[in-house]
């Protein structure tokens, strides 16, 4: 249907206010990429696809994305932008090779118009900060109204994800859409036991996955973040997704979440915990200082509009080495005493040492103790009592102890029980927020 | 005879008086220099202390872990220490200058050598400071890594790392100070080499069983891990 | 005959489609006639066209604007006499204009004497000239073409108490081509006109000639055989005359109508036309290049016929459902504009009276491979009146001047065959031949210019086409080649300025000469050839190596 002039003004009016792209930002895009962008021209929908050596799975994923776009937005101008971090297996060529246009032989997908797939190499090794920055710059230059980032690490990408993450942005004026998943109740405990409750308690919004590999965002938010984020802070941008979400929260953008379905269980090892902590908790702690004005006065939390379920749990039994978790906790508490002494308050440390001595049956890392632990870590991080990276590493054994307690408490529970327990933990984080503020000030 | 003694005495007293009269002005100059030096040193200490407080040197040194060391050694804060050190060096410098005025021959050379020695002293202290810093940082890093990787005896590993680094730093410091340079270096080399050899022997021959069980534990544990579901934190 | 005797004249033709009854009225009865047409042949000659296609002018009850023929060898009284027609034929030929007339083969009017006889009784000798059945069960599943008005392909005849077959309106019974008498008679009809001097026939509704049980009753082999037979006779007795097929089918199904050069000379490329409009709205060349890819090669003596609009609705039969919905939403927001799976609007209103878009579409019409057909009135940008029923909104009187009845007729306004367009934008005071002839930069003058450039070279009508695929998908670029002559055509389908880099490496060293101004453009070098283009702009370049 034709839109009236007023429709277009009100739709475009809000996007005109986006920050003008600074010259220094533009220059980090390669000439070849800029030429490709010129040829693509203005688009309505942009899909960012960061890759690194994904040749094995990338073609079906791109086809799925294409079919998702064609189903949900058949008439809109769209583009798939692959930002590649130095693949050596030909991933970028595979992506551009299945572009939908009149040069290549027709695929099974029927498309009203050209749906280009273009690619650029942003670095010789993956760096999520640079890849997101490239995507944001491209979205800004192409004036894309709604954008989504899809990670090819999620092997079970579905075409509906495009609609679920973009429709609220394109048609309902949302600025950020984060995903929610169906997971096994014991997966993603770093999210359910730390990230989600802490972001919720501090920033006042119940965003379940503030650090997610796939999310949708509007041009307003993208352009603002592109212009205002400090891209040259020396880190390669690990955890940039979390920064992005928190920036949106801070600036009062409209945030929603969409249920995407089952989160693919990527095979990981226990040794992946420290890098995960660095990316998530490290990032969170590092923004707390600058975000202080935004979160210190917030009390309680608000739910955000959600399409589909907020969280679903799979309950099938899992064989987990619980004993090892508890042992690593106890060993950690014992061996790292000197480190903990500089980070934790004496009372907390004593309590931790006490429970470390308990047997498996009596062991319990209570919610309150865990919350206090996390808050004290946050305050110490701010002061940099020791190297910040070491503070993060020191959290790992304590987290394992918490995981153990979570496993024990939710052993036989139904999905509802698990959800209630998580909700209880969140409320504890909210209740003890004054404690954080106290710790924050006391270390001044 | 009495006259001779008297005249000798008179001569001796005369000489003494003359010598005294000769040195007296210099002594007075020396005392003045010492006094002036004390004032200047005091001022320098005060100025430095203010500057260090301004740049929050205490905080910086806290980060490096040096403060903790000082606290443990019941020493005053880093700012204070550094200020006092500067005070003593400056004052000592002036004192030395004063003594040099006295014109005592051998002393001149020693004083000159003292002043030449000062820069190396500073460098050595600098090296020591950062060496201790590095030792503290890396030993803690090793500790955390070992704990998180579930390696047995993490503290031992941490201590080992710290010791190695400290020994290395000490040997460099001694070399810088010019004290028994070669000896220190050689001693360090021997110690380090010996450690490596010991470990090799332990793993190769004598501690075969120990090494074996250690490796077994590592591998077997690894296999057992594979049979269980691993939790993904995100 | 002063006309070029070349048997492939239709490849160089620019055809002007005109309906006598709405062109010019000479006798003041409010209805256009042949004499009026003759008076306006000079205008057509000046325009630069070299062939006219006359819509049906046979005696007819006019329930389908003349496509329901009641006498195949006559002229409707309102339009004049057979002599009047002969005069037009001669005058046209003198001016170098060829004349193509229509022949509706598939069906006749139910007022035709043949049908009157056939229906009178079941034993009448003409009974078999039409297709009868006692039940509606025969040929079940055959699609209905006029969906908005008909519910079945069978109609009940109360006189002979049986059903008769009609693929179109129920008052247009289908002739039975299985009957050799019918086939002979039709050839006789054609011969009648050919002997008079007519240069070609547009044969209407040819896919539906023959029906067979268990098929979709379209494009059957028997139909093709009949058509081949007609062609054979034509070539024997009247070489140099042309047959143009009206068959609204996918390109692959259209191909058989050319046979091996032994069936039709020309056929309309129906599927291309809506895709040109679609590409313009999408600002993406994909629909055009794709359909032309799917277009099969045709025999060397054959030619596609291209058009932007015609007397019918802009048909959306040969597009997918998604495409149809898109076209409806973009071009026919009001349901009143939609008819029978199509859009009944003229060219200028479809393009929002945007002069640039009108030029671009005409530019593509004139440069894509095929013979272009201009619908009367589109050369001055006439508007439409969708309030008139059926497809009559695009069949309003030709607007000659801003004066009385727009110079179409001296009769009173109420007697006019159709009401004139009167609105301030498209009405005859604003859009007419006289004022456009006075104005230097009018659409009319522009059309004259582009026609003259087009006819200055044979490359457009007879040359091969090779698409370039620049990375900017808003640009449609192709090369037309005939012998040593090469023309580069670049079209900007976007409403905004564009930059495009063309890979012309094979033509390195050639100078580009822009064909409208004859100015030189930079020589093709090592690098991709950069062109910057304004909104909806197009270029025709002659490639010349000195």
């Amino acid at each position: 249907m034709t839109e009236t002039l007023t429709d277009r003004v009100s739709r475009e009016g809000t996007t005109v206010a986006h920050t003008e792209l600074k010259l220094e930002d533009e220059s980090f895009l390669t000439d070849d990429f800029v030429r490709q962008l010129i040829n693509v021209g203005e688009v309505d929908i942009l899909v960012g696809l960061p890759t690194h050596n994904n040749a094995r799975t990338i073609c079906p994923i791109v086809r799925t994305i294409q079919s998702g776009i064609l189903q949900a937005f058949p008439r809109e101008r769209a583009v798939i932008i692959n930002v590649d971090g130095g693949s050596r297996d030909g991933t970028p060529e595979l992506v551009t090779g299945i572009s939908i246009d009149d040069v290549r032989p027709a695929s099974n997908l029927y498309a009203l118009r050209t749906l280009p797939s273009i690619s650029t190499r942003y670095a010789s090794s993956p760096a999520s900060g640079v890849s997101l920055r490239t995507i944001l710059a491209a979205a800004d230059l192409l004036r894309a109204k709604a954008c989504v980032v899809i990670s090819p690490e999620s092997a079970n990408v579905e075409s509906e994800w495009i609609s679920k993450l973009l429709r609220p942005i394109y048609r309902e004026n949302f600025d950020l859409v984060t995903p929610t998943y169906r997971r096994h109740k014991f997966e993603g405990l770093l999210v359910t036991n730390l990230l989600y409750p802490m972001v919720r308690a501090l920033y006042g919004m119940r965003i379940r996955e503030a650090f997610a590999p796939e999310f949708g965002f509007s041009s307003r938010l993208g352009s603002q973040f592109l212009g205002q984020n400090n891209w040259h802070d020396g880190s390669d941008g690990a955890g940039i997704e979390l920064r992005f979400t928190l920036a949106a929260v801070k600036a009062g953008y409209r945030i929603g979440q969409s249920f995407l379905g089952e989160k693919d269980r990527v095979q990981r090892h226990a040794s992946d915990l420290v890098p995960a902590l660095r990316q998530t908790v490290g990032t969170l702690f590092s923004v707390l200082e600058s975000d202080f004005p935004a979160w210190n006065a917030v009390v309680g939390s608000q739910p955000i509009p959600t399409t589909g379920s907020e969280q679903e749990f799979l309950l099938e039994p899992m064989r987990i080495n619980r004993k090892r978790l508890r042992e690593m906790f106890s060993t950690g508490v014992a061996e790292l005493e000197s480190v903990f002494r500089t980070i934790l308050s004496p009372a907390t440390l004593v309590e931790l040492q006490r429970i470390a001595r308990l047997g498996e049956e009596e062991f319990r890392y209570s919610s309150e103790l865990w919350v206090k632990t996390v808050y004290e870590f946050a305050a110490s991080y701010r002061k940099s009592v020791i190297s910040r990276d070491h503070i993060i590493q020191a959290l790992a054994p304590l987290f394992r102890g918490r995981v153990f307690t979570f496993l024990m408490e939710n052993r036989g529970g139904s999905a509802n029980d698990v959800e209630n327990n998580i909700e209880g933990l969140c409320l504890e984080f909210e209740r003890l927020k004054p404690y954080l503020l106290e710790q924050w000030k006391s270390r001044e | 005879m009495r006259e001779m003694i008297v005249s000798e005495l008179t001569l001796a007293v005369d000489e003494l008086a003359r010598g005294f009269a000769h040195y007296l002005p210099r002594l007075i100059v020396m005392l003045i220099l010492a006094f002036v030096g004390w004032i200047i040193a005091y001022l320098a200490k005060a100025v430095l202390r203010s500057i260090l407080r301004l740049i929050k040197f205490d905080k910086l040194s806290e980060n490096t872990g040096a403060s903790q060391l000082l606290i443990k050694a019941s020493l005053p804060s880093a700012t204070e220490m550094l200020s006092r050190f500067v005070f003593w060096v400056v004052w000592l410098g002036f004192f030395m200058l004063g003594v040099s005025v006295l014109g005592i021959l051998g002393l001149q050379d020693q004083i000159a050598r003292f002043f030449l020695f000062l820069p190396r002293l500073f460098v050595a202290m600098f090296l020591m400071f950062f060496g201790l810093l590095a030792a503290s940082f890396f030993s803690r890093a090793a500790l955390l890594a070992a704990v998180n990787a579930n390696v047995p005896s993490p503290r031992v590993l941490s201590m080992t790392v710290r010791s190695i680094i400290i020994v290395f730093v000490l040997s460099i410091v001694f070399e810088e100070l010019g004290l028994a340079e070669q000896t220190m270096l050689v001693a360090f080399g021997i110690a380090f080499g010996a450690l490596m050899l010991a470990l090799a022997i332990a793993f190769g021959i004598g501690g075969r069983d120990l090494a074996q069980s250690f490796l077994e534990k590592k591998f077997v544990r690894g296999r057992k891990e594979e049979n269980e579901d691993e939790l993904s934190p995100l | 005959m002063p006309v070029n005797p070349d048997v492939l004249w239709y490849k160089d033709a620019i055809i002007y489609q005109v309906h006598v009854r709405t062109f010019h009225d000479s006798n003041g009865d409010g209805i256009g006639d042949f004499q009026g047409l003759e008076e306006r042949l000079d205008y057509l000659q000046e325009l630069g066209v070299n062939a006219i296609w006359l819509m049906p002018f046979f005696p007819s009850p006019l329930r389908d604007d003349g496509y329901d023929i009641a006498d195949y060898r006559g002229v409707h009284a309102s339009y004049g006499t057979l002599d009047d027609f002969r005069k037009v034929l001669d005058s046209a030929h003198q001016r170098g204009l060829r004349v193509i007339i229509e022949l509706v083969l598939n069906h006749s009017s139910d007022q035709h004497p043949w049908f009157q006889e056939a229906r009178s009784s079941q034993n009448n000798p003409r009974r078999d000239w039409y297709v009868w059945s006692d039940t509606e069960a025969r040929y079940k599943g055959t699609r209905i073409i006029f969906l908005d008005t008909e519910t079945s392909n069978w109609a009940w005849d109360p006189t002979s108490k049986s059903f008769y077959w009609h693929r179109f309106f129920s008052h247009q019974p289908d002739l039975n081509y299985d009957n050799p008498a019918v086939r002979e008679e039709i050839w006789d009809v054609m011969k009648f006109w050919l002997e008079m001097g007519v240069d070609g026939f547009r044969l209407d509704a040819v896919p539906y000639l023959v029906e067979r049980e268990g098929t979709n009753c379209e494009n059957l082999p028997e139909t093709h055989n009949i058509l081949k037979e007609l062609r054979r006779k034509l070539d024997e007795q009247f070489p140099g005359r042309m047959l143009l097929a009206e068959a609204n089918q996918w390109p692959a199904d259209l191909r058989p109508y050319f046979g091996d050069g032994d069936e039709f000379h020309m056929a309309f490329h129906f599927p291309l036309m809506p895709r040109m409009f679609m590409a313009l709205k999408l600002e993406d060349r994909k629909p055009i290049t794709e359909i032309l890819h799917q277009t099969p090669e045709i025999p060397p003596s054959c030619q596609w016929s291209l058009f932007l609009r015609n007397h019918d609705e802009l048909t959306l039969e040969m597009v997918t459902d998604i495409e149809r919905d898109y076209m409806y939403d973009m071009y026919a927001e009001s349901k009143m504009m939609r008819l029978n799976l199509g859009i009944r609007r003229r060219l200028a209103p479809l393009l929002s009276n945007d002069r640039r878009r009108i030029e671009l579409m005409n530019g593509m019409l004139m440069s894509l491979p095929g013979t272009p057909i201009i619908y009367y009135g589109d050369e001055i940008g006439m508007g439409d009146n969708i309030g008139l029923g059926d497809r009559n909104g695009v069949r309003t009187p030709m607007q000659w001047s801003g004066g009385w009845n727009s110079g179409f007729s001296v009769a009173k306004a109420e007697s006019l065959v159709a009401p004139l367009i009167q609105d301030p934008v498209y009405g005859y005071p604003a859009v007419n031949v006289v004022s456009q002839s006075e104005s230097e930069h009018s659409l009319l003058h522009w059309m004259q210019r582009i026609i003259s450039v087009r006819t200055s070279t044979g490359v457009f009508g007879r040359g091969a086409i090779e698409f370039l695929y620049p990375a900017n998908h808003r640009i449609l670029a192709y090369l037309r080649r005939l012998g040593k002559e090469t023309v580069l055509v670049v079209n900007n389908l976007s409403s905004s300025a564009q930059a495009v880099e063309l890979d012309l490496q094979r033509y390195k060293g050639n100078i580009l000469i822009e064909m409208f101004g004859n100015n030189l453009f930079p020589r093709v070098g090592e690098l991709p050839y950069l062109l910057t283009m304004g909104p909806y702009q197009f270029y025709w370049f002659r490639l010349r190596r000195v």
Side-chain angles (χ1 to χ4, degrees), chain A residues 40 75 102 110 113-114, chain C residues 282 284-285 323 329 474:
Chain A
V40 170
R75 294 185 186 176
D102 53 358
Y110 169 71
R113 49 157 96 241
T114 302
Chain C
L282 287 172
D284 190 332
R285 65 172 187 248
E323 287 167 336
D329 287 343
R474 281 165 238 87

Side-chain angles (χ1 to χ4, degrees), chain B residues 153-197:
Chain B
S153 316
R155 257 193 291 207
V156 169
L157 187 65
S158 161
M159 277 294 125
T160 312
V161 169
R162 177 187 285 264
S163 314
I164 290 177
I165 295 180
I166 288 183
V167 167
F168 181 66
V169 167
L170 276 177
S171 64
I172 291 189
V173 163
F174 279 126
E175 187 198 343
E176 183 60 30
L177 290 175
L179 303 165
E181 335 172 16
Q182 306 290 31
T183 320
M184 283 313 301
L185 273 173
V186 170
F188 173 75
I190 291 174
F192 196 68
L195 179 66
M196 290 297 112
L197 185 63

Side-chain angles (χ1 to χ4, degrees), chain A residues 50-105:
Chain A
T51 56
H52 177 66
N53 290 331
N54 298 103
R56 217 169 34 86
T57 55
I58 201 68
C59 282
I61 288 175
V62 176
R63 282 282 181 240
T64 305
I65 293 173
Q66 287 170 339
S67 104
I69 295 173
L70 295 173
Q71 276 166 31
F73 303 101
R75 294 185 186 176
E76 274 68 20
R77 298 162 299 180
V79 65
I80 297 177
I81 299 198
N82 165 237
V83 285
D84 186 72
S87 291
R88 279 182 289 275
D89 59 358
T91 300
E93 289 75 23
L94 288 171
V95 174
T96 54
I98 54 176
S99 209
I100 294 181
D101 55 29
D102 53 358
V103 179
R104 287 155 185 88

Side-chain angles (χ1 to χ4, degrees), chain A residues 102, chain C residues 250-252 254 267-273 275-276 279 285-298 304-307 318 364-365 367-370 464-469 476-480 489 491 493:
Chain A
D102 53 358
Chain C
W250 289 103
L254 264 177
F268 288 100
H269 198 315
F270 272 101
L272 172 61
M273 178 267 304
R275 284 177 178 79
M276 289 168 72
R285 65 172 187 248
K286 186 166 173 282
I288 296 177
T289 47
E290 278 187 343
I291 197 67
L292 287 174
H293 269 153
Q294 292 168 30
T295 300
E297 286 288 316
I298 54 178
W304 290 108
S305 181
L306 306 179
F307 60 102
M318 296 293 141
M364 287 195 283
L365 174 71
S367 61
L368 285 171
I465 184 167
E466 182 200 330
F467 283 98
L468 298 171
Y469 295 99
L476 172 67
Y478 42 90
L479 292 156
R480 302 298 315 274
V489 177
N491 304 290
L493 300 172

